[in-house]
Amino acid sequence: DATAPLPRWIGAWREFAASWYFAPLTGLALTVAALAELAPRAESPVSLAGGFAVAATLPLVWRRENLRPVAAVVLGAVAANLLTGEALLVTTGFAALYTLYALGRQLDRQSTGVLTVGSVATLAVVYLAAGSLDEIPWPAAFIAVLAAIGLGDARRVVESAGRTEAEAAERTNETLTRLTAVQREQAVMRERARIARELHDVVAHSVSMIAVQAETAPYTMENLSPEARAGYAEIARTARDALVEMRRLLSVLRADAAPDEDGGNSPQPRLDRLPDLIEQHRG
């Protein structure tokens, strides 16, 4: 069934997200947003809060090439920010959740499970040992972390299924291509068999008649000289040799062709097939 075309902005966004400059631009934009969020608090970018904000966002510029080292820096900076009692910024919280999503999208199922356990344990330690997340209900925080990792893992499964489907489609196309080649080869074989039958029908019987007439001439013609008899014998022998060579040629043409429905490998016809032969020559 035909599907409705996607809105233009979705296509533009997908093209932007697939470009090489997507990660640097969004990483820098997130860093600027984090510093802008600190401005109303009258905190300098060189302060502890500013250092945590930059460390939790700026490494995302290189997340596409080095996701795991970048994730270690980002998540470590966010965890240190929370454990030191600094308030969590919206931008750094988003950076942490996005990093968890990216890890869940790249890691395998077992590694994703380890990541989930470690993230939940870290969040529990923050709630028990520090008060930086007191304004956020703990169920919402745990749900956000689990949702980020779960969405990444679900995206990985969908992409893996898409790749598997594409590989299956490619294998199907290759099979169809090979099947088409086999069918063409069989068509060529059938054509070769048809040519062999026509050659046999058109030429072999005529050469046989030449051989028969040359062999019977000495018995039907009187007063033949020894040279004439030898000439007729040579004609008959040459005709028989030609029949042998033609049969070899036809066997090569029909070597790979399957026998047809009329029995391509049937025995030599006998006298009871003489009316059929006459009809064939008349046709």
Side-chain angles (χ1 to χ4, degrees):
D1 297 335
T3 57
L6 293 174
R8 183 176 300 177
W9 68 269
I10 294 182
W13 172 257
R14 287 183 174 178
E15 183 177 356
F16 172 63
S19 62
W20 65 268
Y21 50 82
F22 173 74
L25 284 182
T26 52
L28 289 174
L30 199 60
T31 303
V32 172
L35 295 177
E37 189 177 354
L38 281 176
R41 303 183 184 183
E43 295 191 26
S44 171
V46 296
S47 62
L48 184 61
F52 285 142
V54 172
T57 55
L58 186 59
L60 292 176
V61 171
W62 301 278
R63 66 184 182 273
R64 180 164 292 178
E65 297 82 7
N66 304 285
L67 177 60
R68 297 190 182 188
V70 166
V73 174
V74 171
L75 296 178
V78 173
N81 179 73
L82 295 176
L83 291 174
T84 55
E86 295 289 338
L88 180 67
L89 301 178
V90 175
T91 49
T92 55
F94 173 79
L97 293 177
Y98 178 81
T99 303
L100 292 175
Y101 163 80
L103 285 173
R105 183 178 175 182
Q106 186 180 91
L107 299 177
D108 56 27
R109 183 60 57 84
Q110 183 177 2
S111 300
T112 302
V114 174
L115 174 66
T116 303
V117 173
S119 301
V120 170
T122 302
L123 197 59
V125 171
V126 170
Y127 270 99
L128 294 176
S132 52
L133 293 178
D134 290 343
E135 297 180 357
I136 302 176
W138 66 266
F142 281 99
I143 290 175
V145 169
L146 294 177
I149 299 175
L151 286 175
D153 184 68
R155 182 65 182 274
R156 178 188 60 81
V157 172
V158 170
E159 291 176 348
S160 177
R163 288 192 297 268
T164 302
E165 184 177 355
E167 292 173 357
E170 184 178 356
R171 288 194 297 269
T172 301
N173 291 335
E174 292 178 355
T175 302
L176 292 177
T177 302
R178 289 195 295 268
L179 180 60
T180 302
V182 170
Q183 290 175 346
R184 291 177 179 175
E185 184 178 354
Q186 290 177 349
V188 171
M189 292 178 181
R190 288 193 295 268
E191 183 66 15
R192 290 171 62 182
R194 186 186 66 81
I195 294 173
R197 287 194 299 269
E198 291 183 356
L199 284 175
H200 182 274
D201 295 340
V202 173
V203 181
H205 293 302
S206 298
V207 177
S208 298
M209 291 298 297
I210 294 173
V212 170
Q213 290 178 0
E215 288 178 344
T216 58
Y219 301 100
T220 57
M221 301 177 64
E222 298 179 354
N223 300 323
L224 286 178
S225 64
E227 292 79 5
R229 291 177 181 275
Y232 279 117
E234 182 66 21
I235 292 173
R237 186 184 64 80
T238 303
R240 294 296 181 186
D241 292 342
L243 284 175
V244 172
E245 294 299 329
M246 181 170 293
R247 187 170 297 278
R248 291 176 181 173
L249 174 62
L250 298 183
S251 65
V252 171
L253 289 175
R254 304 171 69 173
D256 297 328
D260 55 7
E261 296 178 357
D262 298 332
N265 296 327
S266 58
Q268 290 294 325
R270 304 178 65 83
L271 287 178
D272 56 359
R273 297 286 305 278
L274 185 59
D276 298 335
L277 179 61
I278 295 174
E279 289 297 328
Q280 183 178 6
H281 278 276
R282 183 179 290 115

